[in-house]
């Protein structure tokens, strides 16, 4: 065990340090390993336990296996789904590269479900249309309802190939805490992590750092995220003086299991399932007469909330809706949606081949994130242009290349992981190999004198100090409730302003939190203290950015500004945490010019 009482820190040098081993981190590792760069992949959990494993529905690409389809239709849907806040150059790159990406995954062994002719099976998903909104498209390439599981294993196995494996070292069960930047150039130079199994610190130094830390909706009472999704990538950036982009846009997925939050994939509605209110009415007919239950997620979640608000909710509290799929038949459900059957049965005792599943909107995904350009480089904004941070990249859900704008379409995220993960890995490799950056670090034996001292002292104080006067759980529990109440599907100015003050209160209380478990072996309490701190940061930027955005767009819906306001708000939020602990906001124009395609001009979004 490394002895932290004497400040003993292990230091190791790499070419590339990747934080996160979900789909995005692994897609990056394939590239850096292939480029023969010494790569460290740090993950709080074993790679194949990352949240990507739980993705159900599929991954989008206009393969046209089931019906006519083109990337430009996929691009249009993504621009529209994003409520015109997505950057159209990034969206073009993303949708154009989708078919190639899927075929590469197939060649790497991803076991897609098949059509009768042996082609990759594709299902319908919300907001995915043919011919610029005319008809429903089948675009989500699926492996039954275990698409993320297959994707993650395919990518992981790829890194184990004999030509890649020697270059990729996994540091599983390491908890990353701090990003280091060179004082002079601002370049990323490494990361400090806690070895969860043995205790003690590990300083990972590299020419490039890639963040792939995933989502962060655990600050809401009802959410779909894994335990490890605490937004640490955002928080490490905020603490290092870097911005988070568009944090106000939190996606609520319409069909979380009532009372638990676990996800029931939109693929259920894609396969013909539909929502009902307490009167047994298929209420989506009213809100999205053309595509009904396959409208985009923000629209369906708001419709469900309206039904509940108007007294047509189900159950003793009249607070949820029902998802009916028994009419699809037992054989079909067990073949195409076996994981859904299991989830509903295990969590609420419902056999969905016979009865509907009780559902409610659940915090699911973050459209915003660490701002990146089309090379997956992390950027800041100088008032006129975006400036890349040397050596720092981000990919996957923690990043914001502005593909999803203010509302992500289902099955665009798995695609995002693979496309942006690959870009981050390939561009980091290119930078190291072609530009030959110089290490700004002191010789290895002195690195620990320069970096991480404050965090190490802080952890040492936790081990040396008492249990604290405030219990961590008290803040967690309260925060989940207040965020759920004040920052949910509908947003009200007074409540958001109240939440900002409540969050400041949590920040003060957090200072009184101590550590009760003093063990160095698997001290999950220590990790949770950092998770909690991180989610307070995340909540602050989410809430303040939402309060500042005086319009309704995508997932951000305000009662006092119910309309989208393109004249004033076609701009991205860049939020930083000032030294005095205040959130500072800059605005950056949306890039409406695609690479080669014509611009899709904003128009009213109807489904
Ligand atoms: C239940 C569910 C179903 C979904 N279904 C679909 C779908 O069908 N289609 C689709 O397109 N999208 C889907 N999504 C969204 C999509 O799966 C996620 O956005 C995506 O998997 C995120 O991948 P990632 O690689 O960015 O992060 P993750 O897979 O979440 O990985 C994050 C990594 O960061 C590491 N990490 C986090 N904190 C730390 C730390 N402090 N120290 C070290 N490591 C850390 C973790 O260990 C993990 O390895 C779904 C999401 C959920 C929650």
């Amino acid at each position: 065990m490394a002895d932290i009482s004497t400040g003993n820190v292990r230091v190791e040098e790499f070419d590339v340090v990747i934080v996160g081993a979900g789909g995005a981190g692994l897609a990056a590792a394939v590239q850096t390993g292939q480029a023969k760069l010494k790569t460290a992949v740090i993950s709080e959990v074993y790679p194949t336990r990352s949240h990507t494993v739980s993705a159900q529905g599929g991954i989008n690409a206009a393969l046209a296996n089931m019906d006519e389809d083109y990337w430009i239709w996929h691009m249009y849907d993504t621009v529209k789904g994003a409520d015109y806040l997505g950057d159209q150059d990034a969206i073009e790159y993303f949708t154009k590269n989708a078919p190639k990406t899927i075929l590469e995954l197939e060649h790497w062994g991803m076991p897609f479900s098949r059509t009768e002719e042996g082609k990759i099976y594709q299902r319908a998903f919300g907001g995915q249309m043919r011919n610029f909104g005319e008809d429903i498209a089948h675009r989500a390439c699926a492996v039954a309802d275990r698409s993320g599981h297959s994707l993650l294993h395919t990518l992981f196995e790829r890194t184990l190939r004999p030509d890649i494996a020697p270059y990729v070292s996994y540091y599983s069960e390491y908890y990353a805490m701090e990003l280091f930047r060179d004082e002079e150039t601002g370049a990323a130079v490494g990361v400090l992590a806690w070895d969860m199994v043995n205790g003690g610190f590990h300083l990972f130094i590299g020419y490039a750092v890639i963040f792939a830390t995933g989502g962060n909706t655990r600050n809401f009472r009802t959410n779909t995220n894994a335990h490890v999704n605490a937004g640490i990538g955002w928080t490490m950036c905020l603490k290092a003086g870097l911005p988070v982009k568009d944090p106000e846009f939190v996606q609520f997925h319409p069909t979380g299991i009532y009372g638990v939050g676990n996800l029931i994939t939109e693929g259920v509605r894609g396969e013909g399932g539909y929502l009902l209110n307490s009167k047994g009415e298929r209420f989506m007919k009213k809100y999205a007469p053309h595509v009904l239950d396959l409208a985009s997620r923000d629209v369906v979640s708001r419709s469900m909330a309206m039904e509940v608000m108007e007294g047509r909710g189900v159950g003793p509290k009249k607070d949820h809706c029902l998802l009916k799929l028994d009419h699809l038949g037992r054989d079909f459900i067990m073949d195409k949606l076996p994981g859904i059957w299991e989830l509903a049965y295990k969590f609420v005792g419902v056999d969905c081949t016979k009865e509907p599943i009780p559902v409610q909107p659940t915090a699911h995904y973050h459209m915003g994130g660490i701002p990146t350009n089309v090379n997956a480089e992390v950027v800041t904004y100088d008032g006129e242009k975006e400036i890349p941070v040397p050596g720092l990249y981000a990919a996957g859900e923690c990043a914001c290349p502005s593909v999803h704008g203010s509302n992500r379409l289902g099955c665009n995220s798995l695609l995002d992981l693979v496309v942006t993960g690959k870009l981050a890995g390939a561009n980091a490799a290119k930078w190291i190999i072609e530009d030959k950056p110089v290490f700004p670090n002191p010789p290895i034996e002195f690195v620990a004198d320069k970096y991480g001292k404050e965090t190490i002292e802080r952890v040492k104080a936790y081990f040396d100090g008492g249990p604290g006067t405030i219990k961590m759980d008290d803040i967690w529990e309260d925060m989940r409730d207040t965020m759920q109440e004040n920052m949910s599907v509908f947003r009200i100015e007074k409540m958001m302003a109240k939440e900002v003050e409540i969050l400041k209160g949590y920040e003060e209380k957090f200072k009184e939190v101590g550590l009760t478990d003093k063990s160095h072996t698997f001290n999950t309490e220590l990790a949770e203290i950092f998770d909690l701190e991180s989610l307070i940061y995340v909540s602050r930027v989410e809430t303040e950015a939402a309060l500042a955005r005086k319009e309704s767009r995508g997932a951000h819906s305000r009662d006092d500004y119910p309309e989208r306001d393109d004249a004033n708000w076609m701009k991205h939020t860049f939020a930083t945490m000032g030294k005095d602990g205040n959130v500072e906001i800059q605005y950056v124009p949306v890039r409406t010019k695609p690479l080669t395609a014509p611009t899709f001009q904003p128009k009213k979004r109807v489904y």
Side-chain angles (χ1 to χ4, degrees):
M1 180 201 300
D3 178 9
I4 61 159
S5 60
T6 58
N8 185 351
V9 181
R10 288 178 304 235
V11 185
E12 227 177 322
E13 278 180 333
F14 293 87
D15 292 315
V16 184
V17 179
I18 301 176
V19 188
L26 297 184
V30 170
Q31 297 302 315
T32 57
Q34 222 161 259
K36 303 196 184 326
L37 294 175
K38 192 179 169 203
T39 303
V41 183
I42 309 169
S43 174
E44 195 183 336
V45 292
Y46 191 74
T48 49
R49 298 181 74 102
S50 304
H51 186 66
T52 300
V53 80
S54 59
Q56 302 164 356
I59 170 167
N60 285 328
L63 292 183
N65 283 355
M66 318 287 282
D67 36 35
E68 192 185 3
D69 204 3
Y70 302 98
W71 68 262
I72 193 88
W73 293 353
H74 184 188
M75 176 177 172
Y76 170 78
D77 291 342
T78 306
V79 172
K80 177 182 171 188
D83 219 352
Y84 299 92
L85 196 78
D87 289 344
Q88 296 196 21
D89 51 355
I91 298 177
E92 177 177 339
Y93 181 88
F94 171 81
T95 49
K96 218 184 213 170
N97 279 281
K100 201 164 74 185
T101 304
I102 301 299
L103 295 183
E104 185 166 63
L105 288 168
E106 186 195 34
H107 294 169
W108 292 357
M110 185 158 161
F112 286 104
S113 299
R114 297 281 159 181
T115 64
E116 296 216 332
E117 305 159 86
K119 291 182 178 170
I120 291 174
Y121 173 75
Q122 299 188 276
R123 58 165 56 112
F125 242 75
Q128 301 290 343
M129 309 289 288
R130 300 173 56 218
N131 206 7
F132 308 108
E134 207 176 272
D135 204 359
I136 285 166
H138 294 79
R139 192 175 286 148
C141 308
V143 184
D145 58 358
R146 297 184 174 125
S147 308
H149 182 113
S150 303
L151 173 74
L152 194 60
H153 281 259
T154 303
L155 291 168
F156 184 53
E157 283 165 19
R158 189 77 189 167
T159 68
L160 304 181
R161 267 170 65 106
D163 58 334
I164 296 180
Y167 302 98
V168 178
S169 306
Y170 282 102
Y171 290 84
S172 297
E173 294 165 343
Y174 277 70
Y175 188 100
M177 292 174 166
E178 190 181 347
L179 165 72
F180 305 124
R181 297 175 68 197
D182 179 51
E183 277 166 19
E184 227 169 275
T185 60
V189 292
V191 163
L192 178 74
W194 173 257
D195 174 350
M196 296 175 75
V197 179
N198 303 300
F201 284 101
H202 204 113
L203 244 164
F204 294 86
I205 298 296
Y207 294 103
V209 173
I210 300 176
F211 277 133
T213 51
N216 51 21
T217 58
R218 278 180 62 217
N219 51 343
F220 288 89
R221 168 64 58 199
T222 308
N223 72 80
T224 63
N225 275 198
H227 205 76
V228 286
N229 293 139
I232 201 83
W234 285 31
T235 301
M236 285 196 279
C237 283
L238 287 168
K239 284 187 178 174
L242 296 169
V244 165
K245 186 176 183 182
D246 294 337
E248 60 270 44
F249 298 105
V250 182
Q251 176 164 82
F252 280 78
H253 191 292
T255 54
I257 299 180
Y258 175 63
V260 218
N262 300 45
L263 188 76
I264 298 294
T265 175
E266 194 170 295
V268 169
R269 283 170 286 136
E271 300 290 8
Y274 51 84
L275 291 160
L276 296 173
N277 62 17
S278 60
K279 296 184 154 174
E281 292 163 341
R282 191 170 177 185
F283 56 85
M284 282 311 297
K285 282 184 188 164
K286 218 170 20 186
Y287 302 99
H290 187 42
V291 296
L292 312 174
D293 300 78
L294 286 178
S296 71
R297 290 178 178 173
D298 55 338
V299 174
V300 181
S301 288
R302 276 195 291 276
S303 309
M304 292 168 76
M306 288 300 292
E307 290 299 298
V308 166
M309 274 156 53
E310 289 171 7
R312 293 183 295 278
V314 175
K317 293 187 184 163
K318 292 179 162 298
D319 58 353
H320 61 280
C321 299
L322 295 175
L323 177 63
K324 179 175 160 58
L325 69 157
D326 56 299
H327 56 282
L328 300 178
R330 188 180 172 81
D331 289 350
F332 182 87
I333 291 172
M334 290 313 193
D335 180 35
K336 292 286 188 313
L337 303 163
I340 292 312
W341 183 88
E342 194 179 333
L343 277 174
Y345 195 71
K346 285 199 173 149
F347 281 93
V348 277
V350 165
D351 176 354
C352 67
T353 62
K354 297 190 179 130
E355 52 183 328
I357 308 172
V359 288
Q360 68 182 151
T362 177
H364 177 57
Y365 180 86
H366 222 295
M367 272 67 74
I370 304 164
T372 51
N373 60 18
V374 282
N375 297 324
E377 294 167 304
V378 174
V379 294
T380 56
Y381 188 66
D382 71 355
E384 282 177 15
K385 58 184 180 314
E386 292 180 347
I387 317 263
V389 178
L392 188 60
Y393 300 79
E397 188 171 339
C398 77
C400 181
S402 282
V403 164
H404 313 298
S406 60
N407 172 63
R408 171 180 71 95
L409 294 184
C411 294
N412 266 356
S413 173
L414 289 187
L415 179 61
D416 171 349
L417 311 182
V418 190
V419 172
T420 59
K422 188 172 184 175
L423 273 175
N427 283 313
K430 187 162 172 265
W431 188 60
I432 292 170
I433 293 165
E434 290 179 12
D435 291 13
K436 301 193 175 47
V438 180
F439 246 139
N441 297 319
I444 192 160
E445 60 271 31
F446 301 116
V447 163
D449 293 338
K450 188 166 174 186
Y451 297 118
K453 284 188 147 174
E454 239 175 72
T455 306
I456 292 170
E457 281 308 311
R458 179 179 156 198
V459 172
K460 195 162 168 292
Y462 280 136
F463 279 106
D464 294 344
T469 52
I470 302 272
K471 277 210 200 110
M472 178 172 57
D473 274 1
D474 293 344
I475 306 180
W476 266 115
E477 292 302 312
D478 286 353
M479 181 171 66
R480 285 178 183 154
D481 284 337
T482 58
M483 282 299 285
Q484 187 84 27
E485 192 174 322
N486 298 324
M487 273 289 288
S488 201
V489 176
F490 288 110
R491 293 171 173 177
I492 295 165
E493 180 162 82
K494 211 167 63 197
M495 292 169 82
M496 290 188 283
K498 187 170 102 185
E499 186 62 25
V500 172
E501 294 312 310
I502 293 174
L503 289 166
K504 288 181 184 164
Y506 296 150
E507 281 165 12
E508 283 309 306
K509 273 182 157 182
F510 180 78
K511 294 179 185 153
E512 306 303 320
V513 168
L515 190 69
T516 44
D517 177 0
K518 305 290 182 186
S519 160
H520 276 203
T521 309
F522 254 109
N523 193 325
T524 51
E525 189 188 0
L526 180 66
E528 287 209 28
I529 288 180
F530 277 82
D531 279 355
L532 172 61
E533 182 194 35
S534 176
L535 286 174
I536 298 174
Y537 267 80
V538 167
S539 305
R540 263 300 285 283
V541 287
E542 276 172 4
T543 311
E544 295 214 23
L547 192 56
R549 183 175 285 273
K550 295 190 169 25
E551 66 161 350
S552 288
R553 184 185 293 270
H556 175 63
S557 180
R558 290 179 65 134
D559 71 328
D560 47 354
Y561 298 95
E563 299 299 328
R564 196 178 76 202
D565 176 359
D566 292 332
N568 296 303
W569 288 99
M570 280 285 281
K571 51 192 182 188
H572 299 290
T573 304
F574 270 46
T576 43
M577 205 56 117
K579 289 223 163 11
D580 52 3
N582 286 325
V583 175
E584 291 163 7
I585 292 180
Q586 278 179 300
Y587 289 104
V588 180
V590 172
R591 287 198 303 271
T592 49
K593 199 170 160 10
L595 302 168
T596 59
T599 294
F600 290 111
Q601 297 297 345
K603 55 183 182 186
K604 197 167 166 54
R605 203 160 59 105
V606 282
Y607 283 100

